[in-house]
Amino acid sequence: MFRNNYDNDAVTFSPQGRIFQIEYSEEAVKQGSVVVGIASKKHVVLCAIKRNAEELSSYQKKLFAIDEHCGIAIAGLTSDARVLSNFMKQQALGHRLTYGRAMPVASLVDEIGTKAQINTQMYGKRPYGVGLLVAGVDEDGTHLFEFKPSGMTEELVGCAIGARSQMARTYLEKNIDAFADASKEELIKHGLQALHETLVQDKELTIDNTAVGVTGFKEGSKNKAEPFKLYEAAEVKQWLDAISESKEGNEGEGMDVDE
Protein backbone atom coordinates (compact mmCIF):
# COMPACT_ATOMS: atom_id res chain seq x y z
CA MET A 1 0.00 0.00 0.00
CA PHE A 2 1.20 3.51 -0.80
CA ARG A 3 1.07 6.48 1.54
CA ASN A 4 -1.30 8.41 -0.73
CA ASN A 5 -4.02 5.82 -0.08
CA TYR A 6 -4.24 7.17 3.49
CA ASP A 7 -3.28 10.85 3.36
CA ASN A 8 -6.38 12.33 1.69
CA ASP A 9 -8.07 13.21 4.98
CA ALA A 10 -7.35 13.50 8.69
CA VAL A 11 -9.69 10.73 9.88
CA THR A 12 -8.10 7.69 8.21
CA PHE A 13 -5.35 5.74 9.92
CA SER A 14 -2.60 4.04 7.90
CA PRO A 15 -1.88 0.36 8.63
CA GLN A 16 0.98 1.60 10.88
CA GLY A 17 -1.47 3.65 12.98
CA ARG A 18 -0.38 7.02 11.59
CA ILE A 19 -2.45 9.98 10.42
CA PHE A 20 -0.42 11.53 7.63
CA GLN A 21 -2.37 14.80 7.49
CA ILE A 22 -1.23 15.53 11.05
CA GLU A 23 2.35 14.72 10.14
CA TYR A 24 2.12 17.10 7.20
CA SER A 25 0.82 19.86 9.46
CA GLU A 26 3.70 19.26 11.88
CA GLU A 27 6.06 19.60 8.93
CA ALA A 28 4.57 23.05 8.28
CA VAL A 29 5.55 23.99 11.85
CA LYS A 30 9.12 22.83 11.19
CA GLN A 31 9.28 25.11 8.14
CA GLY A 32 8.37 28.21 10.16
CA SER A 33 11.00 30.52 11.62
CA VAL A 34 12.07 29.59 15.13
CA VAL A 35 10.48 30.85 18.34
CA VAL A 36 11.74 30.25 21.89
CA GLY A 37 9.94 30.34 25.24
CA ILE A 38 11.41 30.24 28.76
CA ALA A 39 9.64 30.36 32.13
CA SER A 40 11.01 31.22 35.57
CA LYS A 41 9.22 31.54 38.89
CA LYS A 42 8.46 35.21 38.21
CA HIS A 43 8.46 35.76 34.43
CA VAL A 44 7.82 34.12 31.07
CA VAL A 45 9.67 35.24 27.97
CA LEU A 46 8.95 34.60 24.28
CA CYS A 47 11.61 35.35 21.65
CA ALA A 48 11.13 35.05 17.90
CA ILE A 49 12.96 35.49 14.61
CA LYS A 50 10.83 37.30 12.03
CA ARG A 51 11.11 36.52 8.33
CA ASN A 52 10.47 38.65 5.27
CA ALA A 53 9.46 36.87 2.07
CA GLU A 54 11.64 39.17 -0.04
CA GLU A 55 13.79 42.25 0.31
CA LEU A 56 10.91 44.60 -0.51
CA SER A 57 8.43 43.07 1.95
CA SER A 58 7.89 43.73 5.64
CA TYR A 59 8.78 41.25 8.37
CA GLN A 60 6.07 38.79 9.38
CA LYS A 61 4.60 39.26 12.87
CA LYS A 62 5.41 36.32 15.19
CA LEU A 63 4.16 37.40 18.63
CA PHE A 64 0.55 38.21 19.53
CA ALA A 65 -0.98 39.48 22.77
CA ILE A 66 -4.08 37.45 23.71
CA ASP A 67 -5.08 39.12 26.97
CA GLU A 68 -3.43 41.31 29.57
CA HIS A 69 -1.86 38.27 31.22
CA CYS A 70 -0.84 36.09 28.25
CA GLY A 71 0.49 36.04 24.70
CA ILE A 72 1.58 33.58 22.03
CA ALA A 73 4.47 32.95 19.64
CA ILE A 74 3.77 31.16 16.35
CA ALA A 75 5.67 28.89 13.96
CA GLY A 76 3.99 27.70 10.78
CA LEU A 77 1.10 29.06 8.73
CA THR A 78 0.35 32.59 9.89
CA SER A 79 -3.19 32.47 8.51
CA ASP A 80 -4.00 29.49 10.73
CA ALA A 81 -2.34 31.24 13.67
CA ARG A 82 -4.61 34.25 13.24
CA VAL A 83 -7.68 32.01 13.37
CA LEU A 84 -6.49 30.41 16.61
CA SER A 85 -5.34 33.70 18.15
CA ASN A 86 -8.72 35.33 17.44
CA PHE A 87 -10.46 32.31 19.00
CA MET A 88 -8.24 32.60 22.09
CA LYS A 89 -8.97 36.32 22.38
CA GLN A 90 -12.71 35.62 22.25
CA GLN A 91 -12.43 32.94 24.94
CA ALA A 92 -10.31 35.14 27.20
CA LEU A 93 -12.63 38.13 26.77
CA GLY A 94 -15.76 36.02 27.38
CA HIS A 95 -14.26 34.60 30.58
CA ARG A 96 -13.28 38.08 31.80
CA LEU A 97 -16.79 39.47 31.12
CA THR A 98 -18.51 36.48 32.75
CA TYR A 99 -16.35 35.99 35.84
CA GLY A 100 -14.66 39.36 36.21
CA ARG A 101 -11.13 37.96 36.19
CA ALA A 102 -8.49 36.67 33.81
CA MET A 103 -8.93 33.20 32.33
CA PRO A 104 -6.51 30.58 33.74
CA VAL A 105 -3.81 29.87 31.18
CA ALA A 106 -4.29 26.08 31.35
CA SER A 107 -8.02 26.44 30.61
CA LEU A 108 -7.31 28.68 27.63
CA VAL A 109 -4.81 26.19 26.22
CA ASP A 110 -7.28 23.33 26.74
CA GLU A 111 -9.83 25.24 24.65
CA ILE A 112 -7.56 25.52 21.61
CA GLY A 113 -6.37 21.93 22.08
CA THR A 114 -9.96 20.73 21.90
CA LYS A 115 -10.71 22.96 18.91
CA ALA A 116 -7.70 21.59 17.00
CA GLN A 117 -8.37 17.96 17.90
CA ILE A 118 -11.93 18.13 16.56
CA ASN A 119 -10.43 18.71 13.12
CA THR A 120 -8.90 15.22 13.28
CA GLN A 121 -12.31 13.62 13.94
CA MET A 122 -14.42 15.18 11.19
CA TYR A 123 -14.20 14.37 7.48
CA GLY A 124 -13.58 17.39 5.29
CA LYS A 125 -11.50 19.31 7.85
CA ARG A 126 -7.73 19.53 8.18
CA PRO A 127 -5.37 20.09 11.11
CA TYR A 128 -4.11 23.60 11.75
CA GLY A 129 -0.66 23.99 10.23
CA VAL A 130 0.80 26.01 13.07
CA GLY A 131 2.48 25.43 16.42
CA LEU A 132 2.12 27.82 19.33
CA LEU A 133 4.02 28.70 22.47
CA VAL A 134 1.57 30.17 24.99
CA ALA A 135 3.05 32.26 27.82
CA GLY A 136 1.03 33.63 30.69
CA VAL A 137 0.56 34.14 34.41
CA ASP A 138 -2.38 33.44 36.71
CA GLU A 139 -3.12 32.58 40.34
CA ASP A 140 -1.06 29.37 40.01
CA GLY A 141 2.08 31.19 38.86
CA THR A 142 3.87 31.46 35.52
CA HIS A 143 3.11 29.10 32.64
CA LEU A 144 4.60 28.15 29.29
CA PHE A 145 2.62 25.74 27.10
CA GLU A 146 3.36 24.21 23.72
CA PHE A 147 0.44 23.58 21.35
CA LYS A 148 0.81 21.09 18.48
CA PRO A 149 -1.40 20.69 15.37
CA SER A 150 -2.66 17.34 16.65
CA GLY A 151 -4.32 19.18 19.55
CA MET A 152 -1.78 17.95 22.10
CA THR A 153 -0.65 20.53 24.67
CA GLU A 154 1.96 20.30 27.41
CA GLU A 155 3.47 22.64 29.97
CA LEU A 156 7.22 23.20 29.80
CA VAL A 157 10.02 25.18 31.44
CA GLY A 158 11.65 25.97 28.11
CA CYS A 159 10.81 25.17 24.52
CA ALA A 160 11.71 26.02 20.92
CA ILE A 161 9.73 25.24 17.76
CA GLY A 162 10.31 25.98 14.09
CA ALA A 163 13.19 25.62 11.65
CA ARG A 164 16.54 24.60 13.20
CA SER A 165 14.91 24.64 16.63
CA GLN A 166 16.93 21.63 17.80
CA MET A 167 19.97 23.90 18.31
CA ALA A 168 17.90 26.17 20.53
CA ARG A 169 16.54 23.21 22.52
CA THR A 170 20.08 21.97 23.07
CA TYR A 171 21.04 25.37 24.50
CA LEU A 172 17.96 25.40 26.74
CA GLU A 173 18.72 21.90 28.05
CA LYS A 174 22.28 22.92 28.94
CA ASN A 175 21.11 25.99 30.89
CA ILE A 176 17.83 24.74 32.36
CA ASP A 177 19.09 24.95 35.95
CA ALA A 178 19.54 28.72 35.63
CA PHE A 179 15.97 29.50 34.57
CA ALA A 180 13.94 29.03 37.77
CA ASP A 181 15.49 31.93 39.71
CA ALA A 182 16.56 34.08 36.75
CA SER A 183 15.54 37.73 36.49
CA LYS A 184 13.58 39.10 33.54
CA GLU A 185 16.72 40.47 31.91
CA GLU A 186 18.56 37.17 32.31
CA LEU A 187 15.63 35.22 30.81
CA ILE A 188 15.53 37.51 27.79
CA LYS A 189 19.27 37.11 27.24
CA HIS A 190 18.95 33.31 27.48
CA GLY A 191 16.09 33.40 24.97
CA LEU A 192 18.03 35.54 22.50
CA GLN A 193 21.12 33.40 22.92
CA ALA A 194 19.03 30.30 22.14
CA LEU A 195 17.74 32.08 19.01
CA HIS A 196 21.28 32.94 18.02
CA GLU A 197 22.25 29.26 18.13
CA THR A 198 19.77 28.53 15.32
CA LEU A 199 21.16 31.06 12.84
CA VAL A 200 23.09 30.07 9.75
CA GLN A 201 26.59 31.49 9.42
CA ASP A 202 25.81 34.61 7.39
CA LYS A 203 22.81 35.68 9.50
CA GLU A 204 22.63 37.78 12.66
CA LEU A 205 19.95 38.93 15.07
CA THR A 206 18.95 42.51 14.26
CA ILE A 207 16.37 44.98 15.51
CA ASP A 208 14.37 44.26 12.35
CA ASN A 209 14.12 40.47 12.60
CA THR A 210 13.92 40.00 16.38
CA ALA A 211 10.91 40.27 18.68
CA VAL A 212 10.53 39.68 22.42
CA GLY A 213 7.39 39.26 24.52
CA VAL A 214 7.38 39.29 28.33
CA THR A 215 4.85 38.79 31.09
CA GLY A 216 5.25 37.99 34.77
CA PHE A 217 4.71 39.31 38.27
CA LYS A 218 5.72 42.78 39.36
CA GLU A 219 8.76 43.13 41.57
CA GLY A 220 7.90 42.60 45.22
CA SER A 221 4.47 41.17 44.40
CA LYS A 222 3.47 37.50 44.40
CA ASN A 223 0.18 37.82 42.55
CA LYS A 224 0.06 41.17 40.74
CA ALA A 225 0.77 40.48 37.08
CA GLU A 226 2.60 42.67 34.59
CA PRO A 227 0.67 43.09 31.31
CA PHE A 228 2.04 41.08 28.41
CA LYS A 229 4.38 43.45 26.56
CA LEU A 230 5.92 43.19 23.10
CA TYR A 231 9.38 44.59 22.39
CA GLU A 232 10.30 45.18 18.75
CA ALA A 233 12.60 47.33 16.62
CA ALA A 234 14.77 49.69 18.69
CA GLU A 235 13.36 48.34 21.96
CA VAL A 236 15.38 45.10 21.62
CA LYS A 237 18.68 46.81 20.72
CA GLN A 238 20.03 46.86 24.28
CA TRP A 239 19.65 43.09 24.62
CA LEU A 240 21.13 42.38 21.19
CA ASP A 241 24.13 44.54 22.06
CA ALA A 242 24.58 42.60 25.32
CA ILE A 243 24.50 39.30 23.41
CA SER A 244 27.09 40.57 20.93
CA GLU A 245 29.40 41.79 23.69
CA SER A 246 29.08 38.47 25.52
CA LYS A 247 29.88 36.55 22.35
CA GLU A 248 32.93 38.70 21.59
CA GLY A 249 34.13 38.29 25.17
CA ASN A 250 33.86 34.50 25.00
CA GLU A 251 35.75 34.42 21.69
CA GLY A 252 38.48 36.57 23.20
CA GLU A 253 38.87 34.29 26.19
CA GLY A 254 39.21 31.26 23.92
CA MET A 255 42.15 32.73 21.93
CA ASP A 256 45.71 31.69 22.78
CA VAL A 257 48.25 34.53 22.57
CA ASP A 258 51.96 33.73 22.17
CA GLU A 259 54.27 36.17 23.85
Side-chain angles (χ1 to χ4, degrees):
M1 293 290 183
F2 297 101
R3 169 178 284 214
N4 59 9
N5 291 333
Y6 300 98
D7 68 353
N8 293 325
D9 59 69
V11 298
T12 302
F13 285 92
S14 74
Q16 292 79 34
R18 299 161 65 184
I19 300 179
F20 291 118
Q21 285 284 320
I22 291 178
E23 294 184 17
Y24 297 157
S25 64
E26 290 175 346
E27 189 62 32
V29 177
K30 295 177 184 178
Q31 298 298 321
S33 57
V34 65
V35 293
V36 173
I38 310 175
S40 70
K41 294 177 181 178
K42 292 289 187 181
H43 294 91
V44 192
V45 168
L46 298 175
C47 301
I49 295 178
K50 299 185 291 185
R51 280 182 184 166
N52 57 339
E54 56 185 41
E55 291 298 324
L56 298 177
S57 67
S58 62
Y59 285 87
Q60 183 63 58
K61 191 173 179 64
K62 296 283 288 183
L63 303 181
F64 298 87
I66 299 300
D67 199 355
E68 291 182 1
H69 69 301
C70 67
I72 62 172
I74 68 170
L77 300 180
T78 305
S79 54
D80 284 4
R82 290 188 183 278
V83 172
L84 288 176
S85 65
N86 287 337
F87 173 78
M88 294 173 72
K89 289 176 182 178
Q90 291 171 0
Q91 295 298 309
L93 179 59
H95 189 280
R96 191 177 287 275
L97 291 174
T98 303
Y99 299 103
R101 60 187 179 88
M103 188 175 188
V105 181
S107 299
L108 182 59
V109 172
D110 285 344
E111 290 288 342
I112 59 167
T114 301
K115 181 178 176 67
Q117 203 273 331
I118 288 174
N119 284 9
T120 67
Q121 294 179 302
M122 300 177 65
Y123 187 83
K125 291 184 177 291
R126 66 162 176 83
Y128 292 103
V130 65
L132 306 178
L133 295 182
V134 183
V137 295
D138 55 29
E139 295 175 352
D140 296 325
T142 58
H143 302 280
L144 174 67
F145 286 90
E146 179 188 7
F147 161 86
K148 297 183 178 180
S150 62
M152 190 184 82
T153 60
E154 58 183 337
E155 187 168 5
L156 302 162
V157 174
C159 185
I161 58 176
R164 299 172 60 87
S165 59
Q166 182 56 51
M167 288 85 160
R169 287 196 294 270
T170 299
Y171 175 87
L172 296 177
E173 290 168 0
K174 289 180 179 179
N175 295 275
I176 188 172
D177 293 336
F179 297 156
D181 298 312
S183 66
K184 179 172 72 174
E185 297 291 325
E186 291 170 341
L187 275 189
I188 292 173
K189 290 177 182 178
H190 279 301
L192 293 177
Q193 187 62 53
L195 280 187
H196 190 275
E197 296 293 321
T198 69
L199 297 175
V200 293
Q201 289 184 347
D202 60 335
K203 297 291 184 180
E204 289 293 336
L205 295 178
T206 68
I207 61 174
D208 294 319
N209 68 8
T210 308
V212 176
V214 184
T215 187
F217 296 108
K218 294 183 177 180
E219 293 295 331
S221 174
K222 294 183 178 180
N223 55 13
K224 192 169 184 179
E226 293 179 355
F228 183 83
K229 182 171 175 57
L230 296 178
Y231 298 89
E232 295 180 307
E235 294 176 311
V236 301
K237 187 177 187 302
Q238 56 175 325
W239 298 312
L240 295 181
D241 290 343
I243 294 297
S244 299
E245 291 173 3
S246 175
K247 182 181 176 183
E248 292 172 359
N250 290 337
E251 289 177 352
E253 290 177 2
M255 296 175 60
D256 293 325
V257 180
D258 294 329
E259 295 181 357

